[in-house]
Amino acid sequence: MQHRRRGRLPKTFTAPMSELERRVLALQNTQAPSDVVHSQSLEATPESEAALFPRYTDEELFSMYEDLIPRQPVEVAKPSEEHRETHAMIEVRERVCVYMRDGDLSSAESAIRTAQLSGITLPEDIVNIVLRYHALHGNTEGFEGFMANILTGKPSETQRDLHIKSYLRDPAVFASRAFPTRAIDLLHKYEASGLHAPIKSYSRIISSLFSVRPSPSPPSICSTPDVPLGRLAANSQAWDLFAHMRYVAHPTPDARLYALMIRACASAPSSPEPERALDLWTEMLDAGIVPTEGAYDAVIRACAKAGGEWVSEAIRFARQMRDRFGRGSSEVGGGDLEGVGGPRTWTALLDGCKRVGDLGRARWILAEAVRAESLTDEMMQHMFHAYAAYRPPFKRGATRIVNDGAVVASASNQEGPLATATECPSDPPQKSAGVSSDSGAVPKDLAHMATMPSFSHLPPQSPGEVVAEATALFDRILQDTNPTSRSSSNTPPDPLAGRFNIRLTPRLFNAYISVYYSHASLESARDVFERLFSSFSVDLMGDSRAYVDALERCALSRSHERDIAGTWADELWTRWEELEREWANGAMKTTVTARLVERAHTAVRRVHSLNGDVDRAITLLRTFMSRYPPTALLPPARNPSSVDGDAPSMKKRTITLFAKPPILSTRTVLNNSSATPRPLVRLTSAVGPPDERVPPLLSFADVELLHARLVEQGRGKEVGFLKWACKAYEGALRARREAVLGARVPAGEDVP
């Protein structure tokens, strides 16, 4: 605004002081009081009157008033350029959100490109809307293409995290739970460029590594160069990356990453590592990090899975968790566990109870979970395992039957090794004829049973009571999965009066049958097995562990059960060979593994050895060796001489098939362009993780009973064959290990 310049006033200008002058003149003409006039008449002169009332021109008066007015210009508020851009940003954000809500990704990207071409500098959150979509769907090409066209500077921490997330969500990695090699390479590339990814990215990759599926071990693919890295290698890589992160980028992990690593201690490949879990827990507290509920659940799980004395340590952490987070007390007396709650906490504690056979605590946890309507499939699996591991205090073999003070007989002379499924310690002796003598396997209606389990605070006192409670629980599961068949008369009394909303799975069936394997006769277990498989054949016929557990139960049969064990083992073996044949042909959906194949063959050979059929056991051993010969442990070496057709070299072979991949190797510098990026610091041995791609093999422990039977019969030729077979597998395994440790990957060769 321009300032007004001083100058002559126009003729039409009206003096602002004319009114003032008129009032002054009016006062002059007004007659004052006589006393005032008389007092002033002596001094009133023309000079004094002019001094009291000076005369000013219009220009002088205007100048005086202009000096009193502030000369700061008044600006009119107009929309600035910055405010116009803000309105444009809001409009672009709304358009992008609408496009993404409608699934129109191309229009959202076009809106962002158009805004940038028009000179609008968009904030990061608008660009991240599209990047987050690409990352969620694992579209790495779309993510990198959009980032290259839109971003002009370095990606922010959030964008780097989304970039790594896109590689982890790639369907080739996420759906198949494969080893995230490309995501790890991208992480190390960011490190080499000085742009460290946030700690969230490291947590993402470590979590993905812990979820990698086992490496396939069928003979058709385990001897090829395309065998991917499996769970054992991924577990080792996760711990190495954890140490590498603390050395390179983030020295102090956050509570979430600590909880993730502590939980991994419970799922170690060989055995749980509670000591390492407690070390990480102490380190977290020393760093001033407040433990979360997830961290407590993780350390409870790690201690509970270790079993033994560590279960009491898990209970101690559960009480600390209750005191810290203010869990309410329970209406059911739980002793030292009173007030401890939460599905994950209950699951971990049930896992510990089953490992020590503590059925009392397990039953209390079950009652709490049912009352809170938080029962899960895994909880019921642990519960049935707790029943299987429980050893009731009442033993029939230690009792004596007394009639009028005289000992009539001992219970060990009665028929049947176990009590009936409905028997109580006070039952008369004539009803102790074994489980196989009563109505059969799983009753359809528990109301028709002779004794309904009361689920009192006192644990079952006999094997029959254990089986009765487990059967009642399983029947409740079947009833709740089929509400139309539920009857109020079948509902157990409190505290198990809630609903069992459990999904029927092969693992749940196997856990339930394990109760019969431990506490019932073999005939009763066979009847339950056949009835379940006939009713749920679609879900159970393909589960390999069910057959292996049944075969191992036959291999542990007592002398009076040998005939039943032999007959049932033949039936099971016919079904098992179908599964094994599919696995050997490379089927990916089967649950058969190389270690399960070893256990199945060992169990069936033991059954025939116990029954005296040594020739059948020898035949099965030869069949095993023909399918999985010792030479399968060492595939042919890829020597240039053999490719050219020349005679094979007599030197020691260098096997590159099992060489340690670069991602699992050690290194000393971070920036090394000649090699694949890999961790600087490692927590695992330089030897590397165990090799889970070993095909089925034979050891002396697998044929020890057969060897004893052959020695008893004086069959020296078969004994020599048995010794040769064991030594052949032992030598091949040793050569494989030496080849793995001594091999090197050629420079520039990619190893899957």
Side-chain angles (χ1 to χ4, degrees), residues 435-516:
V435 179
S436 59
S437 63
D438 71 345
S439 59
V442 179
K444 294 300 181 182
D445 190 352
L446 289 177
H448 298 297
M449 296 182 64
T451 303
M452 179 69 186
S454 60
F455 293 95
S456 61
H457 296 292
L458 185 65
Q461 298 298 300
S462 66
E465 293 182 4
V466 174
V467 175
E469 282 197 6
T471 303
L473 292 177
F474 190 76
D475 186 75
R476 283 292 312 284
I477 295 174
L478 296 180
Q479 290 173 354
D480 288 344
T481 54
N482 187 12
T484 58
S485 65
R486 177 154 188 180
S487 174
S488 59
S489 60
N490 297 337
T491 304
D494 288 334
L496 297 178
R499 290 189 59 84
F500 284 44
N501 297 319
I502 302 300
R503 184 172 55 93
L504 298 176
T505 60
R507 288 180 178 269
L508 184 63
F509 281 106
N510 295 339
Y512 170 63
I513 298 176
S514 67
V515 181
Y516 280 82

Side-chain angles (χ1 to χ4, degrees), residues 654-691:
T654 300
I655 300 177
T656 58
L657 174 61
F658 303 111
K660 191 186 306 179
I663 200 170
L664 299 180
S665 303
T666 56
R667 60 178 303 187
T668 56
V669 294
L670 180 63
N671 188 10
N672 186 4
S673 59
S674 62
T676 304
R678 47 190 179 268
L680 272 171
V681 185
R682 307 194 66 194
L683 288 179
T684 57
S685 171
V687 175
D691 190 359

